[in-house]
Each structure stands twice: as structure tokens, then as C-alpha cells.
């Protein structure tokens, strides 16, 4: 059977319109990093490498691990990693492995650093910088697009935040829930006491209200905890219009693809019939 060039072109065009397959969440995406300006010597660099190897080894079995490596009799480096509680062991291991590479690139030779990916983070420090991490200041925030109907949204988020603060108080340091039309979660540092965790999440909620109060999504990172939320698709009037636009675009693309397939099939059938006429 001879297939015309136009048929091949139409078929290839159809495949170009097929949506690409992407993961729902890329846990290895960089969120933020903080690096101390002061750097250390070669001996400290070797100790840090040893520290990383310990963290990586533990990441295949644990979601949180803290350890300390002695540099000499007077100096030590402490470090920890933590993965989100809703990712798999394999994803955690992959995420922590990437942290070392990113640290070497982004914070080379810094005496303290923190690198936060979407699915995990690590933090190391020397005794000189240890006091800096005891505070619960804001490290990073990301606010999404503004909401259209603010009053309804504010009421919804007030309820969602109350649910989050109640849930984290009765959890093991991680809480995630779909409350009505909001996906909201919080996680505290792995060895934080329940009361401290609750206080940290409350602080993060307060920051979220002040800094991202009218945003459809937000991520708030403090030293000892983080919270994040986003509105589920088509859940609010403002978001629904965007969703309808996306649906319309999908229908148009799908219709175009169907037309291309139809033309391709017709061309193939015509080619067969023409061949039969000559035989």
C-alpha cells in the first residue's frame, strides 16, 4: 500500500497536537536557597562532604535525619535533611541526592547553607552560625495570582487555616487536607515538639494572611516549618473562567486533531482504492 506524503504529514501533525506527559509535581524543583557569605577552608570542605554522604545514605529509609561531623576538637558541622511526608522513599532519596549537587553549585564553600526543593531540603551550619537558625523568621514566600472575589475567598481561607492549625496539632508534624476547594498542607522540622510545631504553623499562617492574603496560592517557609495552599481548579468564580478558557482551547485542539485524523484515514482509503483500480 502506497501512502502519500500528505497522509504522512497529516498523521505527524496529529501527534504534534497530543499533550506531552509531565509529572504532576516535580519534587526536584528549586524553591529557594540561602548561603552564608563567609567560606571555610579545605578541612571543613572534606568534613562537609562526609556529612552529605551520611545524609544521602539515610534518605532511602528516613524522611528526616540530623547529624554532626567533627572537624577538629574545637569545630563541628551539623546538618539535616527532611523530605515531605507525602512523597515516596524513592522520591526522597532522589531529592536528597540532588541537594548535594545543588549545594556545591549554589553555595560552594559557604560555612552555612540551606537549599529548599519542592520535595525536600537540607540545612547545615557550623557552631559560629548555629544561633541564626534558632529564630523563626520568614525565609521565603511565594504568592500566586490574585483572586477575583476576595470576600468569598477570605472566608474560605479563614476556615481552611483553622482546619490546618487544628490538624497539625493532632499530627506527627505533617498535615495535608483538601478543605472544600482548597488544597492546604503544613510540615514542621522532624524533631520539633508538638507545641513548637503548632506555634510555628500559626506564625506561618499569620505571614500568609499578611503577605499573600489575596492570592489563589502561596508557599510560606519559616526556619522550622512551612505551609502551602492552592485553590483546586474551577473552584472559584475567578478560577472557573480560566478553567473554561482552557477547556475551550482543549476542545479546539481536539477537534483539529480529529479533522486531521479523518483526512489521513480518507487519504489512506483513497490510496488503496486507486491501487485496486489499477490491478
Amino acid at each position: 500500500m502506497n501512502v502519500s506524503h500528505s497522509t504522512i504529514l497529516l498523521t505527524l501533525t496529529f501527534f504534534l497536537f497530543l499533550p506531552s506527559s509531565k509529572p504532576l509535581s516535580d519534587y526536584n524543583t528549586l524553591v529557594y536557597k540561602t548561603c552564608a557569605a563567609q567560606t571555610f577552608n579545605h578541612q571543613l570542605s572534606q568534613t562537609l562532604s562526609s556529612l552529605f554522604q551520611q545524609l544521602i545514605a539515610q534518605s532511602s529509609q528516613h524522611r528526616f535525619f540530623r547529624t554532626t561531623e567533627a572537624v577538629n576538637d574545637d569545630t563541628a558541622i551539623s546538618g539535616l535533611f527532611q523530605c515531605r511526608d507525602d512523597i515516596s522513599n524513592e522520591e526522597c532519596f532522589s531529592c536528597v541526592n540532588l541537594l548535594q549537587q545543588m549545594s556545591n553549585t549554589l553555595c560552594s564553600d559557604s560555612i552555612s547553607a540551606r537549599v529548599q526543593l519542592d520535595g525536600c531540603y537540607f540545612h547545615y551550619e557550623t557552631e559560629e552560625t548555629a544561633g541564626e537558625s534558632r529564630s523563626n523568621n520568614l525565609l521565603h514566600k511565594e504568592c500566586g495570582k490574585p483572586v477575583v472575589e476576595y470576600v468569598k475567598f477570605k472566608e474560605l481561607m479563614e476556615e481552611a487555616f483553622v482546619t490546618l492549625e487544628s490538624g497539625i496539632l493532632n499530627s506527627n508534624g505533617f498535615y495535608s487536607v483538601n478543605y472544600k476547594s482548597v488544597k492546604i498542607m503544613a510540615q514542621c522540622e522532624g524533631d520539633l515538639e508538638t507545641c513548637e510545631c503548632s506555634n510555628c504553623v500559626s506564625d506561618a499562617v499569620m505571614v500568609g494572611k499578611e503577605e499573600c492574603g489575596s492570592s489563589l496560592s502561596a508557599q510560606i517557609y519559616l526556619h522550622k516549618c512551612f505551609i502551602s495552599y492552592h485553590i483546586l481548579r474551577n473552584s472559584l468564580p475567578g478560577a472557573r473562567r480560566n478553567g473554561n478558557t482552557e477547556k475551550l482551547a482543549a476542545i479546539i485542539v481536539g477537534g483539529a486533531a480529529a479533522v486531521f485524523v479523518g483526512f489521513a484515514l480518507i487519504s489512506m482509503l483513497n490510496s488503496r482504492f486507486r491501487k485496486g483500480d489499477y490491478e
Side-chain angles (χ1 to χ4, degrees):
M1 179 181 68
N2 294 325
V3 181
S4 66
H5 291 295
S6 60
T7 301
I8 296 174
L9 180 60
L10 288 168
T11 305
L12 289 175
T13 305
F14 165 71
F15 282 109
L16 287 175
F17 274 97
L18 290 177
S20 59
S21 176
K22 293 184 179 180
L24 293 177
S25 180
D26 185 357
Y27 299 119
N28 295 336
T29 300
L30 177 67
V31 179
Y32 74 92
K33 51 92 176 175
T34 57
C35 314
Q38 187 178 351
T39 58
F40 47 62
N41 56 34
H42 179 66
Q43 186 179 11
L44 278 169
S45 180
Q46 288 182 319
T47 306
L48 181 60
S49 178
S50 176
L51 176 74
F52 266 121
Q53 294 310 309
Q54 285 197 60
L55 297 180
I56 290 172
Q58 294 293 327
S59 65
S60 63
Q61 300 177 350
H62 304 284
R63 305 296 176 87
F64 173 82
F65 183 74
R66 183 194 297 273
T67 188
T68 300
E69 280 280 308
V71 180
N72 50 47
D73 292 339
D74 301 320
T75 308
I77 301 178
S78 62
L80 65 89
F81 79 83
Q82 182 167 20
C83 293
R84 265 176 40 186
D85 207 49
D86 59 344
I87 70 175
S88 68
N89 289 338
E90 292 78 13
E91 289 167 330
C92 180
F93 179 74
S94 173
C95 195
V96 175
N97 264 276
L98 186 59
L99 284 172
Q100 181 179 17
Q101 303 171 31
M102 286 195 167
S103 173
N104 293 335
T105 302
L106 301 173
C107 301
S108 179
D109 296 335
S110 293
I111 62 172
S112 69
R114 185 182 187 109
V115 178
Q116 174 78 56
L117 306 186
D118 189 54
C120 66
Y121 78 94
F122 88 99
H123 174 62
Y124 72 83
E125 61 190 359
T126 62
E127 293 175 347
E128 299 174 16
T129 58
E132 299 174 6
S133 65
R134 296 194 184 109
S135 63
N136 205 27
N137 296 330
L138 174 66
L139 295 176
H140 181 76
K141 67 176 173 66
E142 291 185 5
C143 305
K145 296 179 180 179
V147 69
V148 175
E149 297 188 10
Y150 176 70
V151 175
K152 291 182 179 180
F153 173 74
K154 184 178 180 181
E155 292 175 356
L156 173 64
M157 289 310 305
E158 287 291 344
E159 295 174 6
F161 284 139
V162 169
T163 301
L164 180 69
E165 292 184 68
S166 174
I168 199 68
L169 190 59
N170 298 290
S171 71
N172 61 349
F174 175 84
Y175 184 72
S176 176
V177 65
N178 288 354
Y179 178 81
K180 294 183 178 179
S181 56
V182 183
K183 171 74 174 180
I184 191 167
M185 74 169 64
Q187 185 167 20
C188 295
E189 199 167 275
D191 53 1
L192 209 60
E193 296 291 337
T194 301
C195 185
E196 292 177 300
C197 176
S198 176
N199 290 337
C200 186
V201 171
S202 294
D203 290 343
V205 166
M206 186 176 299
V207 173
K209 291 178 180 179
E210 294 174 355
E211 301 288 341
C212 306
S214 61
S215 298
L216 286 168
S217 63
Q219 297 181 70
I220 306 296
Y221 293 89
L222 306 186
H223 270 291
K224 299 293 184 180
C225 67
F226 84 91
I227 67 168
S228 70
Y229 72 83
H230 67 269
I231 301 300
L232 301 175
R233 185 172 297 227
N234 299 336
S235 298
L236 291 175
R240 189 176 301 118
R241 285 192 288 273
N242 294 335
N244 288 339
T245 301
E246 292 173 1
K247 286 181 180 178
L248 180 60
I251 291 172
I252 293 173
V253 171
V259 171
F260 282 128
V261 172
F263 276 125
L265 290 174
I266 291 171
S267 297
M268 292 170 67
L269 290 173
N270 286 339
S271 176
R272 292 191 63 180
F273 287 145
R274 283 197 299 270
K275 182 178 179 180
D277 291 339
Y278 287 115
E279 290 178 350

